[in-house]
Amino acid sequence: MTVRATPRALATATAALLTVGGLAACSTGDGGGKDPDKVDVVAAFYPLQFLAERIGGDRVAVSNLTKPGAEPHDLELNPRQVGQVVDAELIVYLTGFQPAVDEAVEQNGGDRAFDVAGVAPLLDAAAGGHEHEGEAGHEDEAGHEEEGGGKDPHLWLDPTRLATVGDKLAERLGRADPDHAADYTARAGALRTELTTLDTAYAEGLRTCQRREIVTSHTAFGYLAEHYKLEQIGISGLTPESEPSPQRLAEVAKEAREHQAGTIFFETLVSPKVAETIAREVGAKTAVLDPIEGPPAEGDYLSAMRANLQTLRTALDCS
């Protein structure tokens, strides 16, 4: 993917990078991390932190560049965070999702960077839902413009894809810490078993639903929709805080009526106002469908995905 960072994010990253020389002078200079007995891993946002902690176990020290409650699409790095990237033994990120992270990794990551977007091809942004007139060629949250709306980064909402990323992450950790490579492989296998169980629960739980259309505040659920044969109707595009046009709101309201949607979904890290507007217009309820871009208020990725399944089953009238 060709990435064009937004001016704000690029300026922030550039300013931060100018301080790296001073930071590096105070660091170990060899990527050795703070704890010599653990692999120092920097994760760009929550699902990657979850993977690193589960697969790394007590052999890793994981830090997350995106703070709890922050919207990861809008992440800007301060000098301390750039210093974390400089010192990390392994940097786990997803290119095209967070331009400031991409910039820091390009400048400082070298062979310590693990790009999960390279594990398997990303879906087009329109996958799992409608492609509406006027959407092709728009800029996505990574600030790059591609025909058809770009690539969808939210691969972790398909647990089978996340399991594959976990297997590859175990390999990378094994290269960083060869003496414990078998432990990483074993933990990745155990996590794959849990993710396979989750996948089975979704497939069975969504097999017999009266409706298969989900109206979402932004199009984060393409992987989930594609994998479980649902249809996503996004109010806005990949950028969660983008303002949909009045024409787009009217289109979504029309589709929601046509599909007799009883629930309009909003998410945890952005305002529910637009979803509430559509819901009032069509006489529907609202409910949270978590894209799990940040850490859940309770539990972890697995419990958040199970909660999403129950929300979907209720909204879609699944027997």
Coordinates of all heavy atoms in Angstrom, one line a residue, residues 47-115:
P47 N -5.2 -4.7 19.9 CA -5.2 -6.1 19.4 C -3.8 -6.7 19.3 O -3.6 -7.9 19.5 CB -6.0 -6.1 18.1 CG -6.9 -4.9 18.2 CD -6.0 -3.9 19.0
L48 N -2.9 -5.9 18.9 CA -1.5 -6.3 18.7 C -0.8 -6.5 20.1 O 0.0 -7.4 20.3 CB -0.7 -5.4 17.8 CG -1.3 -5.1 16.5 CD1 -0.4 -4.3 15.6 CD2 -1.6 -6.4 15.7
Q49 N -1.2 -5.7 21.0 CA -0.7 -5.8 22.4 C -1.3 -7.2 23.0 O -0.5 -7.9 23.6 CB -1.2 -4.7 23.3 CG -0.9 -4.8 24.8 CD -1.6 -3.8 25.6 OE1 -2.3 -2.9 25.2 NE2 -1.4 -3.9 27.0
F50 N -2.6 -7.4 22.8 CA -3.2 -8.7 23.2 C -2.4 -9.9 22.7 O -2.1 -10.8 23.4 CB -4.6 -8.7 22.8 CG -5.3 -10.1 22.9 CD1 -5.7 -10.5 24.2 CD2 -5.5 -10.9 21.8 CE1 -6.3 -11.7 24.3 CE2 -6.1 -12.1 22.0 CZ -6.5 -12.6 23.2
L51 N -2.1 -9.9 21.4 CA -1.4 -11.0 20.8 C 0.0 -11.1 21.4 O 0.4 -12.2 21.8 CB -1.2 -10.7 19.3 CG -2.3 -11.2 18.3 CD1 -1.8 -11.0 16.9 CD2 -2.7 -12.6 18.5
A52 N 0.7 -10.0 21.5 CA 2.1 -10.1 22.0 C 2.1 -10.6 23.5 O 3.0 -11.4 23.8 CB 2.7 -8.7 21.9
E53 N 1.2 -10.2 24.3 CA 1.1 -10.6 25.7 C 0.8 -12.1 25.8 O 1.3 -12.8 26.6 CB 0.2 -9.7 26.5 CG 0.7 -8.3 26.7 CD -0.3 -7.4 27.4 OE1 -1.5 -7.7 27.4 OE2 0.2 -6.4 27.9
R54 N -0.2 -12.5 25.0 CA -0.7 -13.9 25.1 C 0.4 -14.9 24.6 O 0.6 -15.9 25.1 CB -2.0 -14.1 24.3 CG -3.2 -13.5 25.0 CD -3.5 -14.3 26.3 NE -3.7 -15.7 26.1 CZ -4.8 -16.3 25.9 NH1 -5.9 -15.6 25.8 NH2 -4.9 -17.6 25.7
I55 N 1.1 -14.5 23.5 CA 2.0 -15.4 22.9 C 3.4 -15.2 23.6 O 4.1 -16.2 23.8 CB 2.2 -15.1 21.4 CG1 0.8 -15.5 20.7 CG2 3.3 -15.9 20.8 CD1 0.7 -15.0 19.3
G56 N 3.7 -14.1 24.0 CA 5.0 -13.8 24.7 C 5.0 -14.3 26.1 O 6.1 -14.8 26.6
G57 N 3.9 -14.3 26.8 CA 3.8 -14.7 28.2 C 4.8 -13.9 29.1 O 5.0 -12.7 28.9
D58 N 5.4 -14.6 30.0 CA 6.3 -13.9 30.9 C 7.7 -13.7 30.4 O 8.6 -13.2 31.0 CB 6.4 -14.7 32.3 CG 7.0 -16.1 32.1 OD1 7.4 -16.5 30.9 OD2 7.1 -16.9 33.0
R59 N 7.9 -14.0 29.1 CA 9.2 -13.8 28.4 C 9.2 -12.4 27.8 O 10.3 -12.0 27.2 CB 9.4 -14.9 27.4 CG 9.7 -16.2 27.9 CD 10.9 -16.3 28.7 NE 12.1 -15.6 28.1 CZ 13.2 -15.2 28.7 NH1 13.3 -15.2 30.0 NH2 14.1 -14.6 28.0
V60 N 8.1 -11.6 27.7 CA 8.1 -10.4 27.0 C 7.7 -9.3 28.0 O 6.9 -9.5 29.0 CB 7.2 -10.4 25.8 CG1 7.7 -11.5 24.8 CG2 5.7 -10.6 26.2
A61 N 8.1 -8.0 27.7 CA 7.6 -6.8 28.3 C 7.0 -6.0 27.2 O 7.7 -5.6 26.3 CB 8.7 -6.1 29.0
V62 N 5.6 -5.8 27.2 CA 4.9 -5.2 26.1 C 4.4 -3.8 26.5 O 3.8 -3.6 27.5 CB 3.7 -6.1 25.7 CG1 3.0 -5.4 24.5 CG2 4.1 -7.5 25.4
S63 N 4.7 -2.9 25.6 CA 4.2 -1.5 25.8 C 3.3 -1.2 24.6 O 3.6 -1.6 23.5 CB 5.3 -0.5 26.0 OG 6.2 -0.5 24.9
N64 N 2.3 -0.4 24.8 CA 1.3 -0.1 23.8 C 1.4 1.4 23.5 O 1.3 2.3 24.4 CB -0.1 -0.4 24.3 CG -1.2 -0.2 23.2 OD1 -0.9 0.4 22.1 ND2 -2.4 -0.7 23.4
L65 N 1.7 1.8 22.2 CA 1.8 3.2 21.8 C 0.5 3.9 21.9 O 0.5 5.2 22.1 CB 2.4 3.3 20.4 CG 3.8 2.8 20.2 CD1 4.1 2.8 18.7 CD2 4.8 3.6 21.0
T66 N -0.6 3.2 21.8 CA -1.9 3.9 21.9 C -2.5 3.7 23.3 O -2.8 2.6 23.8 CB -2.9 3.3 20.9 OG1 -2.3 3.4 19.6 CG2 -4.2 4.1 20.9
K67 N -2.7 4.8 24.0 CA -3.2 4.8 25.4 C -4.6 4.4 25.5 O -5.4 4.6 24.5 CB -3.0 6.1 26.1 CG -1.5 6.6 26.1 CD -0.6 5.6 26.7 CE 0.8 6.1 26.8 NZ 1.7 5.0 27.3
P68 N -5.0 3.7 26.6 CA -6.5 3.3 26.7 C -7.4 4.5 26.6 O -7.1 5.6 27.1 CB -6.5 2.8 28.2 CG -5.1 2.3 28.4 CD -4.2 3.2 27.7
G69 N -8.5 4.4 25.9 CA -9.4 5.4 25.7 C -9.1 6.4 24.5 O -9.9 7.2 24.1
A70 N -7.9 6.2 23.9 CA -7.5 7.0 22.7 C -8.0 6.4 21.5 O -8.0 5.1 21.4 CB -6.0 7.3 22.7
E71 N -8.3 7.2 20.5 CA -8.7 6.6 19.2 C -7.4 6.3 18.4 O -6.6 7.2 18.1 CB -9.6 7.7 18.4 CG -9.8 7.4 17.0 CD -10.3 6.0 16.7 OE1 -11.4 5.7 17.3 OE2 -9.7 5.2 16.0
P72 N -7.1 5.1 18.1 CA -5.8 4.7 17.4 C -5.6 5.3 16.1 O -4.5 5.6 15.7 CB -5.8 3.2 17.4 CG -7.3 2.8 17.5 CD -7.9 3.9 18.3
H73 N -6.7 5.6 15.3 CA -6.6 6.2 14.0 C -5.9 7.5 14.1 O -5.2 7.9 13.2 CB -7.9 6.4 13.4 CG -8.8 5.2 13.1 ND1 -9.4 4.5 14.1 CD2 -9.1 4.5 12.0 CE1 -10.1 3.5 13.6 NE2 -9.9 3.5 12.3
D74 N -6.0 8.2 15.2 CA -5.5 9.6 15.3 C -4.2 9.7 16.1 O -3.8 10.8 16.5 CB -6.6 10.5 16.0 CG -7.9 10.5 15.3 OD1 -7.9 10.4 14.1 OD2 -9.0 10.7 16.0
L75 N -3.6 8.6 16.3 CA -2.4 8.6 17.2 C -1.3 9.5 16.6 O -1.0 9.5 15.4 CB -1.8 7.1 17.3 CG -0.5 7.0 18.1 CD1 -0.8 7.3 19.5 CD2 0.0 5.6 17.9
E76 N -0.7 10.3 17.5 CA 0.4 11.1 17.2 C 1.5 10.7 18.3 O 1.2 10.7 19.5 CB 0.1 12.6 17.2 CG -0.9 13.0 16.2 CD -1.2 14.5 16.2 OE1 -0.7 15.2 17.1 OE2 -2.0 14.9 15.4
L77 N 2.7 10.5 17.9 CA 3.8 10.1 18.8 C 4.5 11.3 19.4 O 4.9 12.2 18.7 CB 4.8 9.2 18.0 CG 4.2 7.9 17.4 CD1 5.3 7.1 16.8 CD2 3.5 7.1 18.4
N78 N 4.8 11.2 20.7 CA 5.6 12.2 21.3 C 7.0 11.6 21.3 O 7.3 10.5 21.0 CB 5.1 12.5 22.8 CG 5.1 11.3 23.7 OD1 5.9 10.4 23.6 ND2 4.0 11.2 24.5
P79 N 8.0 12.5 21.7 CA 9.4 12.0 21.7 C 9.7 10.7 22.5 O 10.5 9.9 22.1 CB 10.2 13.2 22.2 CG 9.4 14.4 21.9 CD 7.9 13.9 22.0
R80 N 9.0 10.6 23.7 CA 9.2 9.4 24.5 C 8.8 8.2 23.8 O 9.4 7.1 23.8 CB 8.5 9.5 25.8 CG 8.7 8.4 26.8 CD 7.7 8.5 28.0 NE 6.3 8.5 27.6 CZ 5.6 7.4 27.3 NH1 6.2 6.2 27.3 NH2 4.4 7.5 26.9
Q81 N 7.6 8.2 23.0 CA 7.1 7.1 22.3 C 8.1 6.7 21.1 O 8.3 5.6 20.8 CB 5.7 7.4 21.8 CG 4.7 7.4 22.9 CD 3.4 8.0 22.5 OE1 3.3 9.0 21.8 NE2 2.3 7.2 22.7
V82 N 8.6 7.7 20.5 CA 9.6 7.5 19.4 C 10.8 6.8 20.0 O 11.3 5.9 19.4 CB 10.0 8.8 18.7 CG1 11.1 8.5 17.6 CG2 8.8 9.4 18.0
G83 N 11.2 7.2 21.2 CA 12.3 6.5 21.9 C 12.0 5.1 22.2 O 12.9 4.2 22.1
Q84 N 10.7 4.7 22.5 CA 10.3 3.3 22.7 C 10.5 2.5 21.4 O 11.0 1.4 21.5 CB 8.8 3.3 23.1 CG 8.5 3.7 24.5 CD 7.1 3.6 24.8 OE1 6.3 4.4 24.4 NE2 6.7 2.7 25.7
V85 N 10.2 3.1 20.3 CA 10.4 2.5 19.0 C 11.9 2.2 18.8 O 12.3 1.2 18.3 CB 9.7 3.3 17.9 CG1 10.1 2.7 16.5 CG2 8.2 3.4 18.0
V86 N 12.7 3.2 19.1 CA 14.1 3.1 18.9 C 14.7 2.0 19.7 O 15.5 1.2 19.2 CB 14.8 4.5 19.3 CG1 16.3 4.3 19.3 CG2 14.4 5.6 18.3
D87 N 14.2 1.8 20.9 CA 14.8 0.8 21.8 C 14.2 -0.6 21.7 O 14.8 -1.5 22.3 CB 14.7 1.3 23.3 CG 15.8 2.3 23.7 OD1 16.7 2.4 22.9 OD2 15.6 3.0 24.7
A88 N 13.1 -0.7 21.1 CA 12.4 -2.0 21.2 C 13.1 -3.1 20.4 O 13.8 -2.8 19.4 CB 11.0 -1.8 20.5
E89 N 13.0 -4.3 20.9 CA 13.6 -5.4 20.3 C 12.7 -6.0 19.2 O 13.1 -6.6 18.2 CB 13.9 -6.5 21.3 CG 15.0 -6.2 22.2 CD 15.2 -7.2 23.3 OE1 15.9 -8.2 23.0 OE2 14.6 -7.0 24.4
L90 N 11.4 -5.7 19.3 CA 10.4 -6.0 18.3 C 9.3 -5.0 18.3 O 8.7 -4.7 19.4 CB 9.8 -7.4 18.6 CG 8.8 -8.0 17.5 CD1 9.5 -8.2 16.2 CD2 8.2 -9.3 18.0
I91 N 8.9 -4.5 17.1 CA 7.9 -3.5 16.9 C 6.8 -4.2 16.1 O 7.0 -4.6 15.0 CB 8.4 -2.3 16.2 CG1 9.6 -1.7 16.9 CG2 7.3 -1.2 16.1 CD1 10.6 -1.0 15.9
V92 N 5.6 -4.3 16.7 CA 4.4 -4.9 16.1 C 3.5 -3.9 15.7 O 2.9 -3.2 16.5 CB 3.8 -6.0 17.0 CG1 2.7 -6.8 16.2 CG2 4.8 -6.9 17.6
Y93 N 3.2 -3.7 14.4 CA 2.3 -2.6 13.9 C 1.6 -3.1 12.6 O 1.9 -4.2 12.1 CB 3.2 -1.4 13.6 CG 4.0 -1.4 12.3 CD1 3.7 -0.5 11.3 CD2 5.0 -2.3 12.2 CE1 4.4 -0.5 10.1 CE2 5.8 -2.3 11.0 CZ 5.5 -1.4 10.0 OH 6.2 -1.4 8.8
L94 N 0.7 -2.2 12.1 CA 0.0 -2.5 10.9 C 0.1 -1.3 10.0 O -0.5 -0.3 10.2 CB -1.5 -2.8 11.3 CG -2.4 -3.5 10.2 CD1 -3.6 -4.1 10.9 CD2 -2.8 -2.6 9.1
T95 N 0.9 -1.5 9.0 CA 1.1 -0.4 8.1 C -0.2 0.1 7.4 O -1.1 -0.6 7.1 CB 2.2 -0.8 7.0 OG1 2.5 0.4 6.2 CG2 1.6 -1.8 6.0
G96 N -0.3 1.4 7.3 CA -1.4 2.0 6.6 C -2.5 2.4 7.6 O -3.5 3.0 7.2
F97 N -2.4 2.0 8.9 CA -3.4 2.3 9.9 C -3.1 3.5 10.7 O -4.0 4.3 11.0 CB -3.6 1.0 10.8 CG -4.6 1.1 11.8 CD1 -5.9 1.5 11.5 CD2 -4.4 0.8 13.1 CE1 -7.0 1.6 12.4 CE2 -5.4 0.8 14.1 CZ -6.7 1.2 13.7
Q98 N -1.8 3.7 11.1 CA -1.4 4.8 11.9 C -0.2 5.5 11.3 O 0.9 5.0 11.5 CB -1.1 4.3 13.4 CG -2.3 3.7 14.1 CD -1.9 3.0 15.3 OE1 -1.2 2.0 15.3 NE2 -2.4 3.5 16.5
P99 N -0.4 6.5 10.5 CA 0.7 7.1 9.8 C 1.9 7.5 10.6 O 3.0 7.4 10.2 CB 0.1 8.4 9.2 CG -1.4 8.0 9.0 CD -1.7 7.2 10.2
A100 N 1.7 8.0 11.9 CA 2.8 8.4 12.7 C 3.6 7.2 13.1 O 4.9 7.3 13.2 CB 2.3 9.1 14.0
V101 N 3.0 6.0 13.3 CA 3.8 4.8 13.6 C 4.5 4.4 12.4 O 5.7 4.0 12.5 CB 2.8 3.7 14.1 CG1 3.6 2.4 14.3 CG2 2.1 4.1 15.4
D102 N 3.9 4.4 11.2 CA 4.6 4.0 10.0 C 5.8 4.9 9.8 O 6.9 4.4 9.4 CB 3.6 4.3 8.8 CG 2.5 3.3 8.7 OD1 2.4 2.4 9.5 OD2 1.6 3.6 7.9
E103 N 5.7 6.2 10.1 CA 6.9 7.1 9.9 C 8.0 6.7 10.9 O 9.2 6.7 10.5 CB 6.4 8.5 10.1 CG 7.5 9.6 9.9 CD 7.7 9.9 8.4 OE1 7.0 9.3 7.5 OE2 8.7 10.6 8.1
A104 N 7.6 6.5 12.1 CA 8.7 6.2 13.1 C 9.3 4.8 12.8 O 10.5 4.7 12.9 CB 8.0 6.1 14.5
V105 N 8.6 3.9 12.3 CA 9.1 2.6 12.0 C 10.0 2.7 10.8 O 11.1 2.1 10.7 CB 8.0 1.5 11.7 CG1 8.6 0.2 11.1 CG2 7.3 1.2 13.0
E106 N 9.6 3.5 9.8 CA 10.4 3.6 8.6 C 11.8 4.3 8.9 O 12.8 3.9 8.4 CB 9.7 4.5 7.6 CG 10.5 4.8 6.3 CD 9.7 5.7 5.3 OE1 8.5 6.0 5.6 OE2 10.3 6.0 4.3
Q107 N 11.8 5.2 9.9 CA 13.0 5.9 10.3 C 13.9 5.0 11.2 O 15.1 5.1 11.2 CB 12.7 7.2 10.9 CG 12.0 8.2 10.0 CD 12.9 8.7 8.9 OE1 14.1 8.8 9.1 NE2 12.3 9.1 7.8
N108 N 13.2 4.2 12.1 CA 14.0 3.6 13.2 C 13.8 2.1 13.3 O 14.5 1.5 14.1 CB 13.5 4.3 14.5 CG 13.8 5.8 14.5 OD1 14.9 6.2 14.6 ND2 12.7 6.5 14.4
G109 N 12.8 1.5 12.6 CA 12.5 0.1 12.9 C 13.4 -0.9 12.4 O 13.8 -1.9 13.1
G110 N 13.9 -0.7 11.1 CA 14.9 -1.7 10.6 C 14.3 -3.1 10.6 O 13.1 -3.3 10.3
D111 N 15.1 -4.1 10.9 CA 14.7 -5.5 10.8 C 14.0 -5.9 12.1 O 13.6 -7.0 12.3 CB 15.8 -6.4 10.5 CG 16.9 -6.3 11.6 OD1 16.8 -5.6 12.6 OD2 17.9 -7.0 11.4
R112 N 13.7 -4.9 13.0 CA 13.0 -5.2 14.3 C 11.5 -5.0 14.1 O 10.7 -5.3 15.0 CB 13.5 -4.3 15.4 CG 15.0 -4.5 15.8 CD 15.5 -3.5 16.8 NE 15.5 -2.2 16.2 CZ 14.7 -1.2 16.6 NH1 13.9 -1.3 17.6 NH2 14.8 0.0 16.0
A113 N 11.1 -4.6 13.0 CA 9.7 -4.3 12.7 C 8.9 -5.5 12.2 O 9.4 -6.2 11.3 CB 9.5 -3.1 11.8
F114 N 7.8 -5.8 12.7 CA 6.9 -6.8 12.2 C 5.6 -6.2 11.8 O 4.8 -5.8 12.6 CB 6.7 -7.9 13.3 CG 5.7 -8.9 12.9 CD1 5.7 -9.6 11.7 CD2 4.7 -9.3 13.9 CE1 4.7 -10.5 11.4 CE2 3.7 -10.3 13.5 CZ 3.7 -10.9 12.3
D115 N 5.3 -6.1 10.5 CA 4.1 -5.5 9.9 C 3.1 -6.6 9.7 O 3.2 -7.5 8.8 CB 4.5 -4.9 8.6 CG 3.3 -4.3 7.9 OD1 2.2 -4.2 8.5 OD2 3.4 -3.9 6.7

